[in-house]
Amino acid sequence: MFKFFLITSFLGGLANLVQAPWNIFFLIFLIFPILYIIIDAEIRDLDYRKRFISIFILLGGFLYFYFLFGFSWIIYAFEFKPELYSFKYITLFGLPLLMLFFTLPSFIIPTFFWDTKFSKMLSLAACISIGEFLRGNIFTGFSWNNFSHSLAINDNLMQIFSVTGQYLATFILLLAAQFVLFILKKREYLKASLLFIILPVIFFYGSFRIEENHFFDNKNISVIQPNVLQIDKINNSNAYENIKDLIDLSNNHEADLIIWPESSVPLLLQYNSEAIQFITDSLLSNGEILIGNITYQDNNFRNSALLIDQDNKIKEIYHKIHLVPFGEYMPFKNVLSKLPFLKIITGDIGFENGKEIKSINTKLGTARIVICYEIIFPEEINPNREDFDFIINITNDAWFGNSSGPYQHLNSSRFRAIEQGIPVFRSANTGISAVIDPYGRVIELIELGSKGSIVSPLVKKTTTTYYSKVGDFLFFSVLILTLLILVFLKKKKNYG
């Protein structure tokens, strides 16, 4: 068992290479057949109790090390918070354990339905995809590095998200990845072909779906990336120079809407009309500007975005809904603050979350604002089924340095564009800023660690996607069908 645990743990760490920025996609067709073979060799003759324990050890080891290496970029943020430095390695090793705990209920599927070869393959794919849904929704959720995100390797393959969303896409991908298992012993070429053909079908669907972009005339959006070091933002050093840089970058092009990144101005603009006047007077464009800014109301700070019009008035405010636990707020603060060793991280500093997911009306159309990692939650982008024209994602990925995090964060924006069929304009403090079309293709970007600006005409959205209409309904429908098939196969095996 220990030898198998070491192998599956190694496979879990290796599986990160299918994600950005490495994108070694073919590994998924090697890793999951090996994982299947190891689990099968260990559990096929065990009773349910021993089977669950073995799955917890083997599949748990796989997932733990997948999360450990996949989320390791998070610890860069601790370099900028000395008071939290002692929690750096608690987070590094504890977060994967928490994610594993959230996925634990999904282990019931292979425990009960590890019977025929096809039911084993179905149960493994269902287990992983259900686990992704659970860890993306339990507590505050962390829907990062789902296996379906490896489809970002190809624009055509990504288009399946317009129908399935990310969780069902994982289920389908992992079924396809196991096709080789049908030809290892019995040479069941027909069954293998049915699974193998899934990927070409997805590819051709994508090639059929993607069309040339159509742009609005005289509707230009400018995305700004100032590339301010996180240590400078924290120390609030050179605040004037930072604002001046933002203005200079904004004046490189004429635009109807200018987008500055998350927390880009170190002033409470809602109470500083002089600063707003200075910014708007300094801009050459006679349009609107969206600024990531901290707001204060009712004794609470909020992470917000302010839309300022040509008359120097704050036209709209969006408050971030989905805050980062332990980063932007302290969960269970009243309880944790009573523990002496946690008092240091349960002080009075923190954000109040917004209360309403809503669109804002710009002069170019209706926009959905998402701040930072709100973009990784597909079910929260448009829960009210509003008619958006584009998504604006403002973020500050300077927290995570030159790691895999910013690249994977960018891919989340691409998938949300595909799911909703609308463009995404992404402004990051230090990368990666981008203009993304409704098919998830990057029209133009500013690299990580670079300063610059992008101006782009507004891309017209596509026809309404299936996913934007029904969300994850199809995922749950397929899961129910899969469970029915698994029950049927189990009964067939037991009773002939």
Side-chain angles (χ1 to χ4, degrees):
M1 174 71 79
F2 182 68
K3 179 179 68 175
F4 284 155
F5 168 76
L6 291 178
I7 296 173
T8 58
S9 298
F10 171 76
L11 290 174
L14 184 67
N16 281 283
L17 296 181
V18 307
Q19 304 289 357
W22 306 283
N23 298 311
I24 309 177
F25 181 64
F26 77 89
L27 281 177
I28 209 163
F29 294 89
L30 175 66
I31 289 170
F32 278 93
I34 296 175
L35 180 64
Y36 169 102
I37 291 169
I38 291 174
I39 293 175
D40 186 52
E42 186 63 32
I43 74 169
R44 60 186 170 211
D45 297 322
L46 300 178
D47 60 38
Y48 291 139
R49 184 182 66 84
K50 292 180 179 178
R51 184 180 288 181
F52 183 84
I53 293 172
S54 296
I55 290 172
F56 175 74
I57 293 171
L58 298 176
L59 186 56
F62 173 83
L63 290 174
Y64 180 83
F65 282 91
Y66 179 67
F67 300 148
L68 176 65
F69 289 101
F71 303 157
S72 60
W73 50 268
I74 290 175
I75 65 172
Y76 283 85
F78 288 89
E79 302 295 332
F80 306 106
K81 289 193 173 185
E83 72 275 13
L84 301 182
Y85 194 81
S86 59
F87 291 88
K88 176 178 180 178
Y89 293 104
I90 294 176
T91 302
L92 175 64
F93 296 105
L95 179 61
L97 193 62
L98 184 63
M99 293 297 104
L100 178 59
F101 176 75
F102 290 161
T103 65
L104 202 58
S106 68
F107 291 7
I108 294 172
I109 303 295
T111 297
F112 282 97
F113 297 108
W114 201 264
D115 299 305
T116 68
K117 179 179 289 187
F118 186 54
S119 66
K120 294 171 185 177
M121 296 163 70
L122 275 176
S123 63
L124 181 58
C127 173
I128 299 293
S129 57
I130 292 172
E132 289 186 347
F133 175 81
L134 292 174
R135 70 176 172 91
N137 288 274
I138 293 178
F139 190 30
T140 68
F142 192 50
S143 191
W144 196 278
N145 269 14
N146 293 345
F147 283 104
S148 57
H149 293 178
S150 63
L151 294 171
I153 186 67
N154 181 268
D155 291 337
N156 289 350
L157 293 177
M158 293 177 70
Q159 302 310 309
I160 194 63
F161 275 62
S162 67
V163 177
T164 64
Q166 60 183 6
Y167 305 118
L168 182 54
T170 288
F171 177 79
I172 294 170
L173 175 61
L174 297 191
L175 268 184
Q178 298 177 80
F179 81 91
V180 71
L181 296 170
F182 275 124
I183 56 178
L184 287 180
K185 290 184 179 180
K186 294 185 178 181
R187 303 294 189 267
E188 298 172 287
Y189 293 111
L190 178 60
K191 294 178 181 178
S193 299
L194 290 175
L195 293 185
F196 176 80
I197 203 172
I198 290 174
L199 214 59
V201 168
I202 292 174
F203 180 88
F204 285 115
Y205 165 75
S207 64
F208 173 78
R209 180 176 186 267
I210 292 178
E211 298 178 355
E212 288 188 13
N213 285 318
H214 300 281
F215 298 90
F216 288 99
D217 294 330
N218 302 317
K219 288 187 176 183
N220 294 319
I221 297 179
S222 181
V223 172
I224 308 302
Q225 179 168 301
N227 192 36
V228 179
L229 297 176
Q230 187 58 32
I231 191 66
D232 290 338
K233 289 181 70 67
I234 292 173
N235 295 333
N236 202 21
S237 60
N238 300 319
Y240 173 78
E241 288 299 320
N242 292 340
I243 295 174
K244 186 175 181 298
D245 275 349
L246 285 162
I247 291 170
D248 290 342
L249 290 168
S250 302
N251 285 336
N252 286 339
H253 312 280
E254 288 283 336
D256 301 290
L257 175 62
I258 299 170
I259 304 170
W260 288 4
E262 178 186 14
S263 304
S264 52
V265 175
L267 302 169
L268 294 178
L269 289 179
Q270 66 182 139
Y271 301 118
N272 199 327
S273 58
E274 292 83 3
I276 292 177
Q277 184 78 46
F278 171 76
I279 292 171
T280 54
D281 286 350
S282 301
L283 295 174
L284 299 179
S285 297
N286 187 29
E288 297 173 330
I289 180 169
L290 184 91
I291 300 177
N293 192 231
I294 305 303
T295 56
Y296 183 78
Q297 189 175 0
D298 300 327
N299 296 319
N300 288 304
F301 289 97
R302 291 178 176 87
N303 190 352
S304 307
L306 280 57
L307 181 66
I308 299 171
D309 63 18
Q310 303 98 316
D311 298 322
N312 306 324
K313 297 292 190 294
I314 298 176
K315 179 180 175 182
E316 300 260 14
I317 300 180
Y318 169 76
H319 302 298
K320 186 178 181 182
I321 305 285
H322 204 133
L323 300 178
V324 180
F326 303 102
E328 293 179 311
Y329 82 103
M330 176 56 58
F332 315 117
K333 181 177 179 178
N334 292 336
V335 176
L336 295 178
S337 61
K338 296 177 181 178
L339 302 176
F341 65 96
L342 287 179
K343 280 187 177 180
I344 191 172
I345 61 169
T346 56
D348 295 328
I349 298 175
F351 290 125
E352 176 79 7
N353 64 304
K355 304 304 181 186
E356 183 182 5
I357 295 177
K358 65 172 186 175
S359 58
I360 68 167
N361 295 311
T362 75
K363 65 185 295 185
L364 300 185
T366 305
R368 167 71 165 103
I369 310 298
V370 284
I371 299 177
C372 192
Y373 94 143
E374 286 184 314
I375 196 70
I376 75 174
F377 301 102
E379 59 278 2
E380 295 180 10
I381 297 299
N382 194 9
N384 302 319
R385 304 293 185 261
E386 295 184 67
D387 187 21
F388 300 144
D389 295 302
F390 55 100
I391 295 172
I392 297 174
N393 178 212
I394 59 173
T395 186
N396 177 24
D397 288 354
W399 286 104
F400 308 117
N402 187 20
S403 67
S404 60
Y407 298 93
Q408 293 159 5
H409 203 184
L410 171 67
N411 277 348
S412 290
S413 298
R414 298 176 64 198
F415 287 121
R416 301 298 85 81
I418 295 168
E419 289 163 352
Q420 299 297 323
I422 58 179
V424 175
F425 294 85
R426 186 171 198 270
S427 175
N429 175 57
T430 184
I432 304 168
S433 298
V435 176
I436 301 166
D437 76 6
Y439 304 104
R441 297 176 297 187
V442 177
I443 296 176
E444 191 173 352
L445 62 77
I446 305 172
E447 295 285 356
L448 182 65
S450 298
K451 178 191 295 188
S453 61
I454 300 171
V455 66
S456 170
L458 178 60
V459 189
K460 293 182 179 180
K461 58 187 177 183
T462 67
T463 55
T464 305
T465 66
Y466 183 79
Y467 184 83
S468 69
K469 290 187 288 187
V470 304
D472 289 312
F473 173 79
L474 187 59
F475 170 61
F476 294 118
S477 299
V478 170
L479 280 184
I480 292 171
L481 178 61
T482 299
L483 288 174
L484 291 175
I485 293 172
L486 290 171
V487 170
F488 171 77
L489 292 174
K490 190 173 189 66
K491 286 185 176 181
K492 184 178 179 181
K493 180 186 177 185
N494 291 341
Y495 303 109

